[in-house]
Amino acid sequence: MKIKAIRIEKQGGPDVMKLEEIDLPAPGAGQITVRHGAIGLNYIDTYHRSGLYPLKLPSGIGLEAAGTVEAVGEGVESIQTGDRVAYGMGPVGAYAEAANVPAMTVVKLTDDIANETGAAMMLKGITAHYLLHSTYPVKRGDTILFHAAAGGVGLIVGQWAKHLGATVIGTVGSEAKAELARAHGYDHVINYSEENVVERVKEITGGKMLPVVYDGVGKDTFEISLDCLAPRGLLASFGNASGPVENFDLGLLNAKGSLFVTRPSMMHYLLSPEEIAWRMDDLVDVVSKGIVKIEVNQKYGLADAVQAHKDLESRKTTGSTVLIP
């Protein structure tokens, strides 16, 4: 069938994305066709577009969407046409009116989760799940730090970590973002444009510092993150919104307290059908119960994907953003 989709023929700035009409074939074995009601916008999309994470070109773009199942491929028994589902781990090409995706990577949405919420919660929510449950399993009584607390992952982490019993510290760049973070589980919010992050962490923890820092910012916050850790603490550097960390001296880890650093990515935390189902089911559960509220603060038409990327990269967005086909 004919659908409209965002395509890229070269990698670069937002303007390389073009809305085109393409042919979507029938779903193959193990696949389903999802007619999208909403599409999630994520920072990793900008890496795919720019070439930081190279794609085989020409290519679609986008990893996350929610909508209604229109067709079911051979061998699929768990999903039926008419089911409302969401997915958040690709394949690349979600910026489209519809897509064929593996049935094992979708989760059924409960009636109380709208398509926009479903599209906004999957990739960010699964990221929050693996960070909080696997990269460093947060325990009751832990004090943790999350950079970019008012972003899409940050707002989910604040609520979920609070539910797990942690004291949650977040960093933001403005007072408006600080208010948003406080409303989503953060006990302490540090405005890095006005405050010294390391000194505030020292003050909050009584000098004990932290067992873990979650850092999706990258280059601009890397050494700050290390300096916030207690001896043998872990830096989970899961993104690089400010640019990649380069020329890292391993000796710093020894000098700053025998620290650990990991660079996790979602694909390595979704290595089996059981692990995929665990993370997706947990996410739907906490959202359905209202433990984690998904803030969809920006909506753009699919044709306006270029502007959406510009706004995301200039840090004009908060919470989650969706494209509406």
Side-chain angles (χ1 to χ4, degrees), residues 14-304:
D15 292 324
V16 301
M17 297 187 293
K18 307 295 182 186
L19 185 65
E20 300 177 4
E21 187 171 79
I22 65 169
D23 285 308
L24 183 69
Q31 291 186 324
I32 59 174
T33 301
V34 182
R35 173 67 62 172
H36 295 157
I39 301 153
L41 181 76
N42 294 283
Y43 221 94
I44 192 173
D45 302 345
T46 70
Y47 302 159
H48 285 148
R49 187 211 72 226
S50 70
L52 182 64
Y53 295 174
L55 296 173
K56 183 179 179 181
L57 300 175
S59 175
I61 189 169
L63 297 169
E64 171 180 54
T68 304
V69 177
E70 281 199 343
V72 174
E74 182 183 348
V76 176
E77 297 178 355
S78 58
I79 303 291
Q80 298 178 341
T81 57
D83 285 346
R84 280 198 322 114
V85 299
Y87 65 92
M89 59 197 78
V92 172
Y95 287 18
E97 292 177 327
N100 293 328
V101 298
M104 66 172 283
T105 65
V106 307
V107 65
K108 291 182 184 179
L109 296 178
T110 55
D111 291 342
D112 52 3
I113 299 179
N115 283 338
E116 291 177 9
T117 301
M121 77 183 196
M122 293 302 297
L123 193 147
K124 298 177 185 69
I126 293 170
T127 300
H129 190 281
Y130 81 69
L131 290 173
L132 295 175
H133 292 83
S134 300
T135 303
Y136 174 91
V138 171
K139 308 177 298 296
R140 183 168 298 278
D142 281 341
T143 301
I144 70 171
L145 173 67
F146 192 93
H147 288 299
V153 179
L155 295 184
I156 294 172
V157 164
Q159 298 171 82
W160 212 334
K162 191 68 180 171
H163 175 68
L164 294 172
T167 297
V168 196
I169 306 170
T171 68
V172 297
S174 69
E175 184 51 39
K177 290 185 175 182
E179 287 183 22
L180 190 60
R182 289 188 195 102
H184 290 80
Y186 286 88
D187 299 281
H188 306 276
V189 183
I190 303 169
N191 184 342
Y192 57 75
S193 64
E194 298 177 355
E195 301 175 274
N196 182 296
V197 174
V198 177
E199 289 303 314
R200 283 284 288 120
V201 168
K202 190 176 294 184
E203 180 184 309
I204 291 164
T205 62
K208 293 180 180 179
M209 309 311 279
L210 304 168
V212 64
V213 173
Y214 299 106
D215 188 345
V217 177
K219 180 178 65 175
D220 289 354
T221 51
F222 186 70
E223 287 216 34
I224 292 170
S225 295
L226 294 178
D227 288 338
C228 288
L229 290 169
R232 303 203 304 267
L234 171 69
L235 168 55
S237 178
F238 69 96
N240 29 252
S242 66
V245 176
E246 297 176 339
N247 303 320
F248 173 54
D249 177 8
L250 277 174
L252 271 177
L253 300 181
N254 176 41
K256 293 179 182 292
S258 297
L259 305 178
F260 295 87
V261 174
T262 183
R263 180 60 175 87
S265 63
M266 190 170 70
M267 71 183 79
H268 300 127
Y269 286 85
L270 297 169
L271 296 181
S272 69
E274 293 77 19
E275 191 169 38
I276 291 168
W278 168 46
R279 300 198 193 283
M280 293 197 302
D281 290 347
D282 273 10
L283 175 60
V284 169
D285 185 58
V286 294
V287 173
S288 183
K289 289 177 178 175
I291 293 166
V292 171
K293 294 180 174 61
I294 306 298
E295 298 290 343
V296 180
N297 291 340
Q298 296 82 212
K299 300 177 188 178
Y300 299 81
L302 179 60
D304 297 321

